[in-house]
Amino acid sequence: MATPAPLNFQLGPIVWVDCEMTGLDPKKDKLLEIAILITNGNLELVDDGLEFVIKADKSALENMDEWCTTQHGQSGLTRACLASPYTKDYVSNAVLQYIKKWVPEQRTGVLAGNSVHVDRTFLSAEMPEVVDWLHYRYV
């Protein structure tokens, strides 16, 4: 990996996120899975990142819309969420500690991703301490 040391502001840390949820409404839907990669401003990875499947109640999974039911069922995510040992609180803490390891200065790492606006909305609702650690801008 290109960057073996924690990243400071001048190195332009970017925290890449991808989440899967039970739907797109953060008022009723829940996070099911999160993956994080961290790069410097030159897009060089600091390591292999991390990924967690979050334990979900059967009722939350039964209330998914048709797209989520089909997609998460076919991918195996629904079964993985029922079997996962990782609670949302555990995952939130692990993600925050991972980010702090590589981006030790609060409000320095910029959140990025493909559907980052939606992912950030869910993180704000379910893992606010993670969003609070990051810069307010996102890519």
Side-chain angles (χ1 to χ4, degrees):
M1 298 290 139
T3 309
L7 303 170
N8 61 26
F9 180 79
Q10 287 73 29
L11 294 174
I14 303 173
V15 179
W16 299 86
V17 65
D18 186 39
C19 297
E20 295 297 331
M21 293 79 73
T22 60
L24 296 176
D25 183 351
K27 293 178 183 163
K28 70 174 185 76
D29 293 311
K30 302 294 180 195
L31 285 169
L32 297 177
E33 184 177 28
I34 185 170
I36 303 281
L37 291 171
I38 297 177
T39 66
N40 63 23
N42 292 323
L43 304 181
E44 298 166 322
L45 287 168
V46 298
D47 67 9
D48 293 330
L50 65 98
E51 181 264 338
F52 284 101
V53 172
I54 302 167
K55 183 161 194 64
D57 294 329
K58 189 174 181 181
S59 62
L61 299 171
E62 289 172 346
N63 288 323
M64 292 189 294
D65 65 24
E66 182 180 343
W67 187 92
C68 288
T69 299
T70 301
Q71 182 69 23
H72 299 331
Q74 289 176 351
S75 72
L77 182 56
T78 302
R79 284 185 306 282
C81 288
L82 291 169
S84 177
Y86 302 114
T87 66
K88 178 196 55 96
D89 291 339
Y90 176 88
V91 173
S92 180
N93 184 58
V95 166
L96 181 59
Q97 294 313 310
Y98 174 73
I99 293 170
K100 284 181 173 183
K101 172 185 172 183
W102 291 109
V103 187
E105 296 174 44
Q106 190 171 14
R107 305 222 185 338
T108 300
V110 175
L111 190 63
N114 180 43
S115 56
V116 70
H117 178 73
V118 174
D119 292 347
R120 184 175 190 193
T121 301
F122 274 85
L123 290 173
S124 292
E126 295 193 51
M127 300 180 182
E129 56 280 358
V130 171
V131 174
D132 289 345
W133 189 259
L134 300 171
H135 197 277
Y136 68 90
R137 291 192 171 126
Y138 55 97
V139 179

